[in-house]
PDB file of all heavy atoms in Angstrom:
ATOM      1  N   PHE A   1      19.423   1.875 -13.441  1.00  0.00           N
ATOM      2  CA  PHE A   1      18.489   2.910 -13.107  1.00  0.00           C
ATOM      3  C   PHE A   1      18.691   3.529 -11.769  1.00  0.00           C
ATOM      4  O   PHE A   1      18.977   2.815 -10.789  1.00  0.00           O
ATOM      5  CB  PHE A   1      17.088   2.245 -13.169  1.00  0.00           C
ATOM      6  CG  PHE A   1      16.603   1.832 -14.571  1.00  0.00           C
ATOM      7  CD1 PHE A   1      17.113   0.532 -15.112  1.00  0.00           C
ATOM      8  CD2 PHE A   1      15.769   2.656 -15.267  1.00  0.00           C
ATOM      9  CE1 PHE A   1      16.588   0.255 -16.368  1.00  0.00           C
ATOM     10  CE2 PHE A   1      15.342   2.287 -16.525  1.00  0.00           C
ATOM     11  CZ  PHE A   1      15.837   1.132 -17.008  1.00  0.00           C
ATOM     12  N   TRP A   2      18.499   4.775 -11.700  1.00  0.00           N
ATOM     13  CA  TRP A   2      18.630   5.641 -10.458  1.00  0.00           C
ATOM     14  C   TRP A   2      17.512   6.402 -10.268  1.00  0.00           C
ATOM     15  O   TRP A   2      16.637   6.602 -11.116  1.00  0.00           O
ATOM     16  CB  TRP A   2      19.938   6.482 -10.468  1.00  0.00           C
ATOM     17  CG  TRP A   2      19.970   7.414 -11.705  1.00  0.00           C
ATOM     18  CD1 TRP A   2      20.479   7.125 -12.857  1.00  0.00           C
ATOM     19  CD2 TRP A   2      19.472   8.715 -11.810  1.00  0.00           C
ATOM     20  NE1 TRP A   2      20.350   8.144 -13.848  1.00  0.00           N
ATOM     21  CE2 TRP A   2      19.818   9.082 -13.025  1.00  0.00           C
ATOM     22  CE3 TRP A   2      18.900   9.580 -10.833  1.00  0.00           C
ATOM     23  CZ2 TRP A   2      19.300  10.369 -13.598  1.00  0.00           C
ATOM     24  CZ3 TRP A   2      18.561  10.878 -11.361  1.00  0.00           C
ATOM     25  CH2 TRP A   2      18.782  11.227 -12.629  1.00  0.00           C
ATOM     26  N   GLY A   3      17.292   6.970  -9.013  1.00  0.00           N
ATOM     27  CA  GLY A   3      16.117   7.797  -8.726  1.00  0.00           C
ATOM     28  C   GLY A   3      14.770   7.036  -8.657  1.00  0.00           C
ATOM     29  O   GLY A   3      13.689   7.626  -8.952  1.00  0.00           O
ATOM     30  N   LEU A   4      14.809   5.744  -8.276  1.00  0.00           N
ATOM     31  CA  LEU A   4      13.696   4.999  -8.264  1.00  0.00           C
ATOM     32  C   LEU A   4      12.917   5.055  -6.954  1.00  0.00           C
ATOM     33  O   LEU A   4      11.741   4.903  -6.869  1.00  0.00           O
ATOM     34  CB  LEU A   4      14.003   3.507  -8.488  1.00  0.00           C
ATOM     35  CG  LEU A   4      14.643   3.085  -9.870  1.00  0.00           C
ATOM     36  CD1 LEU A   4      14.991   1.605  -9.926  1.00  0.00           C
ATOM     37  CD2 LEU A   4      13.675   3.472 -11.053  1.00  0.00           C
ATOM     38  N   TYR A   5      13.644   5.303  -5.866  1.00  0.00           N
ATOM     39  CA  TYR A   5      13.123   5.341  -4.446  1.00  0.00           C
ATOM     40  C   TYR A   5      11.917   6.414  -4.377  1.00  0.00           C
ATOM     41  O   TYR A   5      10.983   6.096  -3.715  1.00  0.00           O
ATOM     42  CB  TYR A   5      14.098   5.677  -3.479  1.00  0.00           C
ATOM     43  CG  TYR A   5      13.710   5.412  -2.090  1.00  0.00           C
ATOM     44  CD1 TYR A   5      13.513   4.082  -1.689  1.00  0.00           C
ATOM     45  CD2 TYR A   5      13.413   6.398  -1.205  1.00  0.00           C
ATOM     46  CE1 TYR A   5      13.051   3.880  -0.321  1.00  0.00           C
ATOM     47  CE2 TYR A   5      13.116   6.227   0.107  1.00  0.00           C
ATOM     48  CZ  TYR A   5      12.895   4.984   0.610  1.00  0.00           C
ATOM     49  OH  TYR A   5      12.387   4.774   1.855  1.00  0.00           O
ATOM     50  N   VAL A   6      12.044   7.521  -5.104  1.00  0.00           N
ATOM     51  CA  VAL A   6      11.010   8.568  -4.959  1.00  0.00           C
ATOM     52  C   VAL A   6       9.785   8.138  -5.593  1.00  0.00           C
ATOM     53  O   VAL A   6       8.690   8.505  -5.072  1.00  0.00           O
ATOM     54  CB  VAL A   6      11.633   9.839  -5.723  1.00  0.00           C
ATOM     55  CG1 VAL A   6      11.735   9.655  -7.139  1.00  0.00           C
ATOM     56  CG2 VAL A   6      10.672  10.988  -5.434  1.00  0.00           C
ATOM     57  N   HIS A   7       9.755   7.218  -6.613  1.00  0.00           N
ATOM     58  CA  HIS A   7       8.626   6.587  -7.169  1.00  0.00           C
ATOM     59  C   HIS A   7       7.976   5.562  -6.244  1.00  0.00           C
ATOM     60  O   HIS A   7       6.772   5.487  -6.203  1.00  0.00           O
ATOM     61  CB  HIS A   7       8.904   6.089  -8.565  1.00  0.00           C
ATOM     62  CG  HIS A   7       9.436   7.134  -9.519  1.00  0.00           C
ATOM     63  ND1 HIS A   7       8.572   8.050 -10.011  1.00  0.00           N
ATOM     64  CD2 HIS A   7      10.584   7.197 -10.131  1.00  0.00           C
ATOM     65  CE1 HIS A   7       9.387   8.785 -10.827  1.00  0.00           C
ATOM     66  NE2 HIS A   7      10.586   8.385 -10.930  1.00  0.00           N
ATOM     67  N   VAL A   8       8.845   4.811  -5.472  1.00  0.00           N
ATOM     68  CA  VAL A   8       8.222   3.907  -4.542  1.00  0.00           C
ATOM     69  C   VAL A   8       7.558   4.634  -3.426  1.00  0.00           C
ATOM     70  O   VAL A   8       6.383   4.185  -2.987  1.00  0.00           O
ATOM     71  CB  VAL A   8       9.445   3.088  -3.984  1.00  0.00           C
ATOM     72  CG1 VAL A   8       8.878   2.100  -2.850  1.00  0.00           C
ATOM     73  CG2 VAL A   8      10.117   2.212  -5.019  1.00  0.00           C
ATOM     74  N   CYS A   9       7.929   5.828  -3.027  1.00  0.00           N
ATOM     75  CA  CYS A   9       7.340   6.561  -1.987  1.00  0.00           C
ATOM     76  C   CYS A   9       6.057   7.348  -2.399  1.00  0.00           C
ATOM     77  O   CYS A   9       5.439   7.938  -1.540  1.00  0.00           O
ATOM     78  CB  CYS A   9       8.360   7.462  -1.392  1.00  0.00           C
ATOM     79  SG  CYS A   9       9.777   6.721  -0.659  1.00  0.00           S
ATOM     80  N   LYS A  10       5.821   7.456  -3.618  1.00  0.00           N
ATOM     81  CA  LYS A  10       4.683   8.248  -4.127  1.00  0.00           C
ATOM     82  C   LYS A  10       3.409   7.725  -3.539  1.00  0.00           C
ATOM     83  O   LYS A  10       3.189   6.462  -3.520  1.00  0.00           O
ATOM     84  CB  LYS A  10       4.690   8.341  -5.640  1.00  0.00           C
ATOM     85  CG  LYS A  10       5.723   9.432  -6.161  1.00  0.00           C
ATOM     86  CD  LYS A  10       5.612   9.374  -7.696  1.00  0.00           C
ATOM     87  CE  LYS A  10       6.496  10.415  -8.269  1.00  0.00           C
ATOM     88  NZ  LYS A  10       6.505  10.406  -9.879  1.00  0.00           N
ATOM     89  N   ILE A  11       2.417   8.601  -3.168  1.00  0.00           N
ATOM     90  CA  ILE A  11       1.248   8.078  -2.623  1.00  0.00           C
ATOM     91  C   ILE A  11       0.466   7.233  -3.665  1.00  0.00           C
ATOM     92  O   ILE A  11      -0.279   6.389  -3.369  1.00  0.00           O
ATOM     93  CB  ILE A  11       0.378   9.308  -2.063  1.00  0.00           C
ATOM     94  CG1 ILE A  11      -0.695   8.752  -1.123  1.00  0.00           C
ATOM     95  CG2 ILE A  11      -0.145  10.141  -3.245  1.00  0.00           C
ATOM     96  CD1 ILE A  11      -0.200   8.205   0.133  1.00  0.00           C
ATOM     97  N   GLY A  12       0.566   7.678  -4.956  1.00  0.00           N
ATOM     98  CA  GLY A  12      -0.107   6.941  -6.009  1.00  0.00           C
ATOM     99  C   GLY A  12       0.353   5.553  -6.198  1.00  0.00           C
ATOM    100  O   GLY A  12      -0.483   4.618  -6.314  1.00  0.00           O
ATOM    101  N   THR A  13       1.652   5.287  -5.932  1.00  0.00           N
ATOM    102  CA  THR A  13       2.215   3.925  -6.045  1.00  0.00           C
ATOM    103  C   THR A  13       1.769   3.142  -4.780  1.00  0.00           C
ATOM    104  O   THR A  13       1.409   2.030  -4.973  1.00  0.00           O
ATOM    105  CB  THR A  13       3.783   4.012  -6.089  1.00  0.00           C
ATOM    106  OG1 THR A  13       4.233   4.774  -7.090  1.00  0.00           O
ATOM    107  CG2 THR A  13       4.379   2.684  -6.322  1.00  0.00           C
ATOM    108  N   LEU A  14       1.840   3.730  -3.635  1.00  0.00           N
ATOM    109  CA  LEU A  14       1.274   3.063  -2.383  1.00  0.00           C
ATOM    110  C   LEU A  14      -0.146   2.784  -2.523  1.00  0.00           C
ATOM    111  O   LEU A  14      -0.623   1.683  -2.009  1.00  0.00           O
ATOM    112  CB  LEU A  14       1.632   3.925  -1.238  1.00  0.00           C
ATOM    113  CG  LEU A  14       3.139   4.131  -0.900  1.00  0.00           C
ATOM    114  CD1 LEU A  14       3.292   5.283   0.114  1.00  0.00           C
ATOM    115  CD2 LEU A  14       3.813   2.934  -0.566  1.00  0.00           C
ATOM    116  N   ARG A  15      -0.948   3.687  -3.046  1.00  0.00           N
ATOM    117  CA  ARG A  15      -2.411   3.525  -3.190  1.00  0.00           C
ATOM    118  C   ARG A  15      -2.654   2.250  -4.163  1.00  0.00           C
ATOM    119  O   ARG A  15      -3.518   1.400  -3.743  1.00  0.00           O
ATOM    120  CB  ARG A  15      -3.037   4.609  -3.777  1.00  0.00           C
ATOM    121  CG  ARG A  15      -4.503   4.757  -3.499  1.00  0.00           C
ATOM    122  CD  ARG A  15      -5.103   6.115  -4.021  1.00  0.00           C
ATOM    123  NE  ARG A  15      -4.710   7.259  -3.073  1.00  0.00           N
ATOM    124  CZ  ARG A  15      -4.199   8.315  -3.498  1.00  0.00           C
ATOM    125  NH1 ARG A  15      -3.806   8.556  -4.785  1.00  0.00           N
ATOM    126  NH2 ARG A  15      -3.824   9.378  -2.663  1.00  0.00           N
ATOM    127  N   GLN A  16      -1.893   2.231  -5.274  1.00  0.00           N
ATOM    128  CA  GLN A  16      -2.096   0.995  -6.137  1.00  0.00           C
ATOM    129  C   GLN A  16      -1.640  -0.275  -5.422  1.00  0.00           C
ATOM    130  O   GLN A  16      -2.340  -1.351  -5.561  1.00  0.00           O
ATOM    131  CB  GLN A  16      -1.290   1.269  -7.451  1.00  0.00           C
ATOM    132  CG  GLN A  16      -1.280   0.206  -8.347  1.00  0.00           C
ATOM    133  CD  GLN A  16      -2.641  -0.150  -8.956  1.00  0.00           C
ATOM    134  OE1 GLN A  16      -3.595   0.634  -8.813  1.00  0.00           O
ATOM    135  NE2 GLN A  16      -2.852  -1.339  -9.530  1.00  0.00           N
ATOM    136  N   ALA A  17      -0.528  -0.197  -4.666  1.00  0.00           N
ATOM    137  CA  ALA A  17      -0.066  -1.431  -4.005  1.00  0.00           C
ATOM    138  C   ALA A  17      -1.078  -1.867  -2.990  1.00  0.00           C
ATOM    139  O   ALA A  17      -1.350  -3.105  -2.739  1.00  0.00           O
ATOM    140  CB  ALA A  17       1.265  -1.066  -3.346  1.00  0.00           C
ATOM    141  N   TYR A  18      -1.742  -0.969  -2.220  1.00  0.00           N
ATOM    142  CA  TYR A  18      -2.762  -1.255  -1.346  1.00  0.00           C
ATOM    143  C   TYR A  18      -3.951  -1.985  -2.031  1.00  0.00           C
ATOM    144  O   TYR A  18      -4.555  -2.964  -1.557  1.00  0.00           O
ATOM    145  CB  TYR A  18      -3.170  -0.071  -0.553  1.00  0.00           C
ATOM    146  CG  TYR A  18      -4.280  -0.451   0.420  1.00  0.00           C
ATOM    147  CD1 TYR A  18      -4.062  -0.916   1.725  1.00  0.00           C
ATOM    148  CD2 TYR A  18      -5.609  -0.164   0.115  1.00  0.00           C
ATOM    149  CE1 TYR A  18      -5.041  -1.218   2.598  1.00  0.00           C
ATOM    150  CE2 TYR A  18      -6.715  -0.474   1.013  1.00  0.00           C
ATOM    151  CZ  TYR A  18      -6.352  -0.953   2.215  1.00  0.00           C
ATOM    152  OH  TYR A  18      -7.393  -1.199   3.161  1.00  0.00           O
ATOM    153  N   ALA A  19      -4.350  -1.418  -3.190  1.00  0.00           N
ATOM    154  CA  ALA A  19      -5.525  -1.941  -3.850  1.00  0.00           C
ATOM    155  C   ALA A  19      -5.180  -3.323  -4.341  1.00  0.00           C
ATOM    156  O   ALA A  19      -6.136  -4.252  -4.201  1.00  0.00           O
ATOM    157  CB  ALA A  19      -5.779  -1.098  -5.098  1.00  0.00           C
ATOM    158  N   LEU A  20      -3.984  -3.667  -4.799  1.00  0.00           N
ATOM    159  CA  LEU A  20      -3.601  -4.974  -5.170  1.00  0.00           C
ATOM    160  C   LEU A  20      -3.553  -5.915  -4.082  1.00  0.00           C
ATOM    161  O   LEU A  20      -4.055  -7.152  -4.113  1.00  0.00           O
ATOM    162  CB  LEU A  20      -2.314  -5.005  -5.931  1.00  0.00           C
ATOM    163  CG  LEU A  20      -2.291  -4.244  -7.259  1.00  0.00           C
ATOM    164  CD1 LEU A  20      -0.870  -4.113  -7.638  1.00  0.00           C
ATOM    165  CD2 LEU A  20      -3.074  -4.971  -8.219  1.00  0.00           C
ATOM    166  N   ALA A  21      -3.103  -5.375  -2.857  1.00  0.00           N
ATOM    167  CA  ALA A  21      -2.997  -6.309  -1.676  1.00  0.00           C
ATOM    168  C   ALA A  21      -4.393  -6.568  -1.110  1.00  0.00           C
ATOM    169  O   ALA A  21      -4.704  -7.837  -0.793  1.00  0.00           O
ATOM    170  CB  ALA A  21      -2.218  -5.563  -0.564  1.00  0.00           C
ATOM    171  N   LYS A  22      -5.369  -5.731  -1.185  1.00  0.00           N
ATOM    172  CA  LYS A  22      -6.702  -5.913  -0.764  1.00  0.00           C
ATOM    173  C   LYS A  22      -7.377  -6.863  -1.621  1.00  0.00           C
ATOM    174  O   LYS A  22      -8.272  -7.704  -1.326  1.00  0.00           O
ATOM    175  CB  LYS A  22      -7.470  -4.592  -0.614  1.00  0.00           C
ATOM    176  CG  LYS A  22      -8.860  -4.821  -0.042  1.00  0.00           C
ATOM    177  CD  LYS A  22      -9.608  -3.493   0.015  1.00  0.00           C
ATOM    178  CE  LYS A  22     -11.088  -3.841   0.737  1.00  0.00           C
ATOM    179  NZ  LYS A  22     -11.800  -2.645   0.625  1.00  0.00           N
ATOM    180  N   ALA A  23      -7.139  -6.728  -2.997  1.00  0.00           N
ATOM    181  CA  ALA A  23      -7.802  -7.632  -4.048  1.00  0.00           C
ATOM    182  C   ALA A  23      -7.467  -9.086  -3.756  1.00  0.00           C
ATOM    183  O   ALA A  23      -8.247  -9.931  -3.939  1.00  0.00           O
ATOM    184  CB  ALA A  23      -7.413  -7.197  -5.421  1.00  0.00           C
ATOM    185  N   ASN A  24      -6.239  -9.316  -3.172  1.00  0.00           N
ATOM    186  CA  ASN A  24      -5.864 -10.771  -2.785  1.00  0.00           C
ATOM    187  C   ASN A  24      -6.533 -11.215  -1.483  1.00  0.00           C
ATOM    188  O   ASN A  24      -6.540 -12.351  -1.339  1.00  0.00           O
ATOM    189  CB  ASN A  24      -4.389 -10.774  -2.747  1.00  0.00           C
ATOM    190  CG  ASN A  24      -3.697 -10.693  -4.124  1.00  0.00           C
ATOM    191  OD1 ASN A  24      -4.210 -11.104  -5.045  1.00  0.00           O
ATOM    192  ND2 ASN A  24      -2.530 -10.083  -4.061  1.00  0.00           N
ATOM    193  N   ASN A  25      -6.947 -10.212  -0.699  1.00  0.00           N
ATOM    194  CA  ASN A  25      -7.739 -10.518   0.540  1.00  0.00           C
ATOM    195  C   ASN A  25      -7.109 -11.595   1.371  1.00  0.00           C
ATOM    196  O   ASN A  25      -7.613 -12.530   1.763  1.00  0.00           O
ATOM    197  CB  ASN A  25      -9.118 -10.990   0.129  1.00  0.00           C
ATOM    198  CG  ASN A  25     -10.059 -10.988   1.294  1.00  0.00           C
ATOM    199  OD1 ASN A  25      -9.897 -10.176   2.246  1.00  0.00           O
ATOM    200  ND2 ASN A  25     -11.131 -11.858   1.245  1.00  0.00           N
ATOM    201  N   GLY A  26      -5.689 -11.326   1.634  1.00  0.00           N
ATOM    202  CA  GLY A  26      -4.964 -12.240   2.500  1.00  0.00           C
ATOM    203  C   GLY A  26      -5.319 -12.121   3.951  1.00  0.00           C
ATOM    204  O   GLY A  26      -5.924 -11.102   4.464  1.00  0.00           O
ATOM    205  N   ALA A  27      -4.757 -13.112   4.674  1.00  0.00           N
ATOM    206  CA  ALA A  27      -4.932 -13.028   6.140  1.00  0.00           C
ATOM    207  C   ALA A  27      -4.005 -12.043   6.750  1.00  0.00           C
ATOM    208  O   ALA A  27      -3.059 -11.613   6.097  1.00  0.00           O
ATOM    209  CB  ALA A  27      -4.667 -14.473   6.723  1.00  0.00           C
ATOM    210  N   PRO A  28      -4.284 -11.516   8.014  1.00  0.00           N
ATOM    211  CA  PRO A  28      -3.393 -10.543   8.598  1.00  0.00           C
ATOM    212  C   PRO A  28      -2.126 -11.110   8.929  1.00  0.00           C
ATOM    213  O   PRO A  28      -1.832 -12.322   9.106  1.00  0.00           O
ATOM    214  CB  PRO A  28      -4.238 -10.082   9.894  1.00  0.00           C
ATOM    215  CG  PRO A  28      -5.081 -11.321  10.161  1.00  0.00           C
ATOM    216  CD  PRO A  28      -5.471 -11.838   8.817  1.00  0.00           C
ATOM    217  N   GLY A  29      -1.056 -10.287   9.101  1.00  0.00           N
ATOM    218  CA  GLY A  29       0.247 -10.714   9.454  1.00  0.00           C
ATOM    219  C   GLY A  29       0.438 -10.914  10.931  1.00  0.00           C
ATOM    220  O   GLY A  29      -0.472 -10.923  11.698  1.00  0.00           O
ATOM    221  N   SER A  30       1.768 -10.715  11.358  1.00  0.00           N
ATOM    222  CA  SER A  30       2.084 -10.951  12.689  1.00  0.00           C
ATOM    223  C   SER A  30       1.496  -9.786  13.697  1.00  0.00           C
ATOM    224  O   SER A  30       1.321  -9.999  14.899  1.00  0.00           O
ATOM    225  CB  SER A  30       3.581 -11.002  12.862  1.00  0.00           C
ATOM    226  OG  SER A  30       4.217  -9.811  12.516  1.00  0.00           O
ATOM    227  N   ASP A  31       1.134  -8.689  13.147  1.00  0.00           N
ATOM    228  CA  ASP A  31       0.678  -7.619  13.889  1.00  0.00           C
ATOM    229  C   ASP A  31      -0.853  -7.757  14.155  1.00  0.00           C
ATOM    230  O   ASP A  31      -1.466  -7.008  14.899  1.00  0.00           O
ATOM    231  CB  ASP A  31       0.991  -6.197  13.373  1.00  0.00           C
ATOM    232  CG  ASP A  31       0.479  -6.085  11.914  1.00  0.00           C
ATOM    233  OD1 ASP A  31      -0.056  -6.993  11.377  1.00  0.00           O
ATOM    234  OD2 ASP A  31       0.653  -4.963  11.436  1.00  0.00           O
ATOM    235  N   GLY A  32      -1.447  -8.662  13.413  1.00  0.00           N
ATOM    236  CA  GLY A  32      -3.018  -8.923  13.606  1.00  0.00           C
ATOM    237  C   GLY A  32      -3.888  -7.777  12.891  1.00  0.00           C
ATOM    238  O   GLY A  32      -4.998  -7.969  13.043  1.00  0.00           O
ATOM    239  N   VAL A  33      -3.211  -6.890  12.242  1.00  0.00           N
ATOM    240  CA  VAL A  33      -4.066  -5.761  11.660  1.00  0.00           C
ATOM    241  C   VAL A  33      -4.715  -6.316  10.363  1.00  0.00           C
ATOM    242  O   VAL A  33      -4.110  -6.854   9.459  1.00  0.00           O
ATOM    243  CB  VAL A  33      -3.123  -4.545  11.197  1.00  0.00           C
ATOM    244  CG1 VAL A  33      -3.895  -3.538  10.593  1.00  0.00           C
ATOM    245  CG2 VAL A  33      -2.414  -3.996  12.552  1.00  0.00           C
ATOM    246  N   THR A  34      -6.006  -6.048  10.338  1.00  0.00           N
ATOM    247  CA  THR A  34      -6.844  -6.514   9.127  1.00  0.00           C
ATOM    248  C   THR A  34      -7.094  -5.372   8.207  1.00  0.00           C
ATOM    249  O   THR A  34      -7.031  -4.172   8.592  1.00  0.00           O
ATOM    250  CB  THR A  34      -8.137  -7.165   9.622  1.00  0.00           C
ATOM    251  OG1 THR A  34      -8.891  -6.245  10.360  1.00  0.00           O
ATOM    252  CG2 THR A  34      -7.868  -8.316  10.586  1.00  0.00           C
ATOM    253  N   PHE A  35      -7.699  -5.579   6.990  1.00  0.00           N
ATOM    254  CA  PHE A  35      -8.066  -4.568   6.087  1.00  0.00           C
ATOM    255  C   PHE A  35      -9.277  -3.830   6.697  1.00  0.00           C
ATOM    256  O   PHE A  35      -9.340  -2.669   6.452  1.00  0.00           O
ATOM    257  CB  PHE A  35      -8.560  -5.188   4.718  1.00  0.00           C
ATOM    258  CG  PHE A  35      -7.291  -5.584   3.895  1.00  0.00           C
ATOM    259  CD1 PHE A  35      -6.938  -6.991   3.784  1.00  0.00           C
ATOM    260  CD2 PHE A  35      -6.577  -4.692   3.306  1.00  0.00           C
ATOM    261  CE1 PHE A  35      -5.898  -7.389   2.964  1.00  0.00           C
ATOM    262  CE2 PHE A  35      -5.376  -5.084   2.490  1.00  0.00           C
ATOM    263  CZ  PHE A  35      -5.092  -6.363   2.417  1.00  0.00           C
ATOM    264  N   ALA A  36     -10.111  -4.537   7.411  1.00  0.00           N
ATOM    265  CA  ALA A  36     -11.314  -3.879   7.963  1.00  0.00           C
ATOM    266  C   ALA A  36     -10.877  -2.902   9.035  1.00  0.00           C
ATOM    267  O   ALA A  36     -11.378  -1.633   9.073  1.00  0.00           O
ATOM    268  CB  ALA A  36     -12.174  -4.866   8.756  1.00  0.00           C
ATOM    269  N   ALA A  37      -9.810  -3.125   9.822  1.00  0.00           N
ATOM    270  CA  ALA A  37      -9.407  -2.091  10.809  1.00  0.00           C
ATOM    271  C   ALA A  37      -8.661  -1.022  10.211  1.00  0.00           C
ATOM    272  O   ALA A  37      -8.859   0.240  10.599  1.00  0.00           O
ATOM    273  CB  ALA A  37      -8.383  -2.876  11.731  1.00  0.00           C
ATOM    274  N   ILE A  38      -7.957  -1.185   9.014  1.00  0.00           N
ATOM    275  CA  ILE A  38      -7.390  -0.079   8.326  1.00  0.00           C
ATOM    276  C   ILE A  38      -8.395   0.789   7.735  1.00  0.00           C
ATOM    277  O   ILE A  38      -8.247   2.080   7.875  1.00  0.00           O
ATOM    278  CB  ILE A  38      -6.469  -0.654   7.227  1.00  0.00           C
ATOM    279  CG1 ILE A  38      -5.214  -1.438   7.763  1.00  0.00           C
ATOM    280  CG2 ILE A  38      -5.892   0.424   6.320  1.00  0.00           C
ATOM    281  CD1 ILE A  38      -4.376  -2.209   6.730  1.00  0.00           C
ATOM    282  N   GLU A  39      -9.450   0.266   7.096  1.00  0.00           N
ATOM    283  CA  GLU A  39     -10.495   1.063   6.579  1.00  0.00           C
ATOM    284  C   GLU A  39     -11.302   1.839   7.595  1.00  0.00           C
ATOM    285  O   GLU A  39     -11.781   2.876   7.342  1.00  0.00           O
ATOM    286  CB  GLU A  39     -11.381   0.135   5.514  1.00  0.00           C
ATOM    287  CG  GLU A  39     -10.516  -0.218   4.480  1.00  0.00           C
ATOM    288  CD  GLU A  39     -11.335  -1.069   3.467  1.00  0.00           C
ATOM    289  OE1 GLU A  39     -12.539  -1.241   3.623  1.00  0.00           O
ATOM    290  OE2 GLU A  39     -10.792  -1.435   2.383  1.00  0.00           O
ATOM    291  N   ALA A  40     -11.495   1.205   8.691  1.00  0.00           N
ATOM    292  CA  ALA A  40     -12.083   2.002   9.897  1.00  0.00           C
ATOM    293  C   ALA A  40     -11.153   3.226  10.296  1.00  0.00           C
ATOM    294  O   ALA A  40     -11.841   4.261  10.671  1.00  0.00           O
ATOM    295  CB  ALA A  40     -12.235   0.962  11.050  1.00  0.00           C
ATOM    296  N   GLN A  41     -10.000   2.959  10.300  1.00  0.00           N
ATOM    297  CA  GLN A  41      -8.995   4.167  10.632  1.00  0.00           C
ATOM    298  C   GLN A  41      -8.944   5.095   9.550  1.00  0.00           C
ATOM    299  O   GLN A  41      -8.904   6.320   9.834  1.00  0.00           O
ATOM    300  CB  GLN A  41      -7.670   3.542  10.895  1.00  0.00           C
ATOM    301  CG  GLN A  41      -6.591   4.624  11.041  1.00  0.00           C
ATOM    302  CD  GLN A  41      -5.188   3.997  10.915  1.00  0.00           C
ATOM    303  OE1 GLN A  41      -5.036   2.772  10.846  1.00  0.00           O
ATOM    304  NE2 GLN A  41      -4.205   4.843  10.943  1.00  0.00           N
ATOM    305  N   GLY A  42      -8.996   4.674   8.297  1.00  0.00           N
ATOM    306  CA  GLY A  42      -8.908   5.567   7.054  1.00  0.00           C
ATOM    307  C   GLY A  42      -7.690   5.078   6.242  1.00  0.00           C
ATOM    308  O   GLY A  42      -6.529   5.106   6.767  1.00  0.00           O
ATOM    309  N   VAL A  43      -7.927   4.702   5.049  1.00  0.00           N
ATOM    310  CA  VAL A  43      -6.767   4.126   4.220  1.00  0.00           C
ATOM    311  C   VAL A  43      -5.828   5.195   3.869  1.00  0.00           C
ATOM    312  O   VAL A  43      -4.641   4.915   4.052  1.00  0.00           O
ATOM    313  CB  VAL A  43      -7.417   3.576   2.885  1.00  0.00           C
ATOM    314  CG1 VAL A  43      -6.194   3.100   1.978  1.00  0.00           C
ATOM    315  CG2 VAL A  43      -8.328   2.411   3.116  1.00  0.00           C
ATOM    316  N   GLU A  44      -6.241   6.448   3.695  1.00  0.00           N
ATOM    317  CA  GLU A  44      -5.353   7.571   3.367  1.00  0.00           C
ATOM    318  C   GLU A  44      -4.438   7.800   4.521  1.00  0.00           C
ATOM    319  O   GLU A  44      -3.214   8.145   4.372  1.00  0.00           O
ATOM    320  CB  GLU A  44      -6.078   8.757   2.988  1.00  0.00           C
ATOM    321  CG  GLU A  44      -6.731   8.628   1.534  1.00  0.00           C
ATOM    322  CD  GLU A  44      -5.679   8.421   0.494  1.00  0.00           C
ATOM    323  OE1 GLU A  44      -4.673   9.011   0.503  1.00  0.00           O
ATOM    324  OE2 GLU A  44      -6.036   7.552  -0.388  1.00  0.00           O
TER     325      GLU A  44
END
């Protein structure tokens, strides 16, 4: 398969990936950024 990267970069794909990540409600990573901080800034 070729031409896959453009689909990875689509905002719809990223939006779905974010929804799945938030549903798991994991702890923040090494940068300390939380879902609450992201939503305060704006998910989009």
Side-chain angles (χ1 to χ4, degrees):
F1 291 81
W2 53 274
L4 298 175
Y5 190 73
V6 65
H7 298 294
V8 175
C9 299
K10 285 181 177 178
I11 196 67
T13 308
L14 295 172
R15 198 178 286 126
Q16 175 64 16
Y18 177 83
L20 293 171
K22 188 182 178 187
N24 290 329
N25 196 27
S30 58
D31 59 356
V33 177
T34 63
F35 286 105
I38 292 170
E39 294 185 357
Q41 170 197 353
V43 175
E44 289 298 315

